[in-house]
Amino acid sequence: MYRHQWQNKQFTNLPTGKVVCIGRNYVEHAKELDNPIPSSPLLFIKPATSLVAFDNEVTLNAALGEHHYEAELALLIGSKIDAGTSAPLMHIAGIGLALDLTLRDLQSELKAQGHPWERAKAYDNSCPITPFVPCDENTFAKNIEYRFWQNGELKQHGDSSLMIFPITELLKEVSRYFTLQPGDIVLTGTPKGVGSLAQGDKLKLRMEQHPAWHSEVILK
Ligand code: ZN
């Protein structure tokens, strides 16, 4: 059973909640999938059952089809954010990295039919997530950068300063519709470089402000 962890591998006291995801928050990623640049954040939700620790091994359900990765900065919500919250950054307990796994072929089919994407985005184990670095007053003062490698090859480089909608704006927009509760996660969108995964792949995520820290897994 997944539980949120700190970088030192201690479990947090926070419950496991929903994962609110932002689609198309980087211009270059919207372009690579031939999607328009959105004028307001595109939102969708993964349930708590999508969460799995990005640690040692992650098992993908091959029967569902080909899984694609999207590496994203993840925000761990420490206290409630709703439509009336004026300074939402103060309510973030930690930052980590996650893969927003996607069944891309199925997603394209569902989109073409005008159907919701849940089957392609919200399935079990579709959100492998690293331990979190606790937030302090400096965390969001500078840009946050991260990198993702597949089998030793750099595939994605994210930088919060390149987001179409910055983090404060995302949290304000999300909380107009969905109250964020302690233990919820917000994924902030993926940069360019998304692609498919295969069994046996070695995956690595690293946050550049914490170079000594990284997480690696092997896919089963
Ligand atoms: Zn995504």
Side-chain angles (χ1 to χ4, degrees):
M1 189 59 185
Y2 170 82
R3 280 173 68 191
H4 299 312
Q5 275 181 51
W6 297 119
Q7 202 183 350
N8 63 8
K9 302 284 174 146
Q10 298 264 335
F11 287 114
T12 73
N13 293 324
L14 294 164
T16 304
K18 63 184 174 292
V19 183
V20 181
C21 305
I22 316 298
R24 303 173 200 165
N25 201 22
Y26 286 84
V27 171
E28 295 300 319
H29 169 63
K31 282 189 190 161
E32 76 182 338
L33 295 184
D34 281 327
N35 285 317
I37 311 297
S39 53
S40 69
L42 191 156
L43 306 182
F44 60 96
I45 288 182
K46 291 177 187 259
T49 44
S50 68
L51 288 163
V52 61
F54 188 96
D55 187 24
N56 296 322
E57 283 178 15
V58 169
T59 304
L60 297 183
N61 182 353
L64 297 182
E66 195 176 61
H67 302 258
H68 283 227
Y69 59 80
E70 297 184 358
E72 310 200 4
L73 175 67
L75 312 174
L76 174 62
I77 306 303
S79 51
K80 188 174 95 170
I81 302 176
D82 66 16
T85 304
S86 56
L89 293 184
M90 306 285 290
H91 299 265
I92 301 174
I95 57 172
L97 298 171
L99 295 181
D100 165 20
L101 296 184
T102 307
L103 303 169
R104 189 74 68 201
D105 293 343
L106 179 58
Q107 186 194 28
S108 302
E109 260 174 56
L110 293 168
K111 275 159 77 176
Q113 294 168 10
H115 290 172
W117 299 349
E118 268 81 356
R119 282 171 191 261
K121 279 282 197 186
Y123 54 95
D124 288 353
N125 294 1
S126 62
C127 192
I129 194 158
T130 68
F132 292 90
V133 180
C135 280
D136 61 29
E137 64 275 22
N138 301 317
T139 302
F140 299 102
K142 283 198 302 185
N143 62 320
I144 299 168
E145 272 186 273
Y146 60 93
R147 287 184 166 80
F148 169 71
W149 290 261
Q150 181 183 32
N151 301 320
E153 196 180 326
L154 178 66
K155 294 289 188 176
Q156 291 192 278
H157 172 208
D159 182 335
S160 61
S161 69
L162 298 177
M163 290 179 182
I164 299 172
F165 304 102
I167 292 169
T168 302
E169 211 174 310
L170 291 178
L171 293 174
K172 289 200 164 172
E173 184 66 11
V174 166
S175 59
R176 285 180 65 203
Y177 295 86
F178 315 116
T179 295
L180 292 168
Q181 295 177 308
D184 285 350
I185 301 285
V186 174
L187 297 191
T188 54
T190 198
K192 72 171 178 193
V194 300
S196 62
L197 295 169
Q199 238 175 21
D201 277 357
K202 285 197 182 96
L203 308 180
K204 177 168 139 178
L205 283 164
R206 188 176 76 192
M207 210 158 348
E208 301 307 331
Q209 277 75 359
H210 304 274
W213 171 87
H214 62 261
S215 290
E216 290 183 64
V217 297
I218 295 185
L219 290 182
K220 293 279 174 183

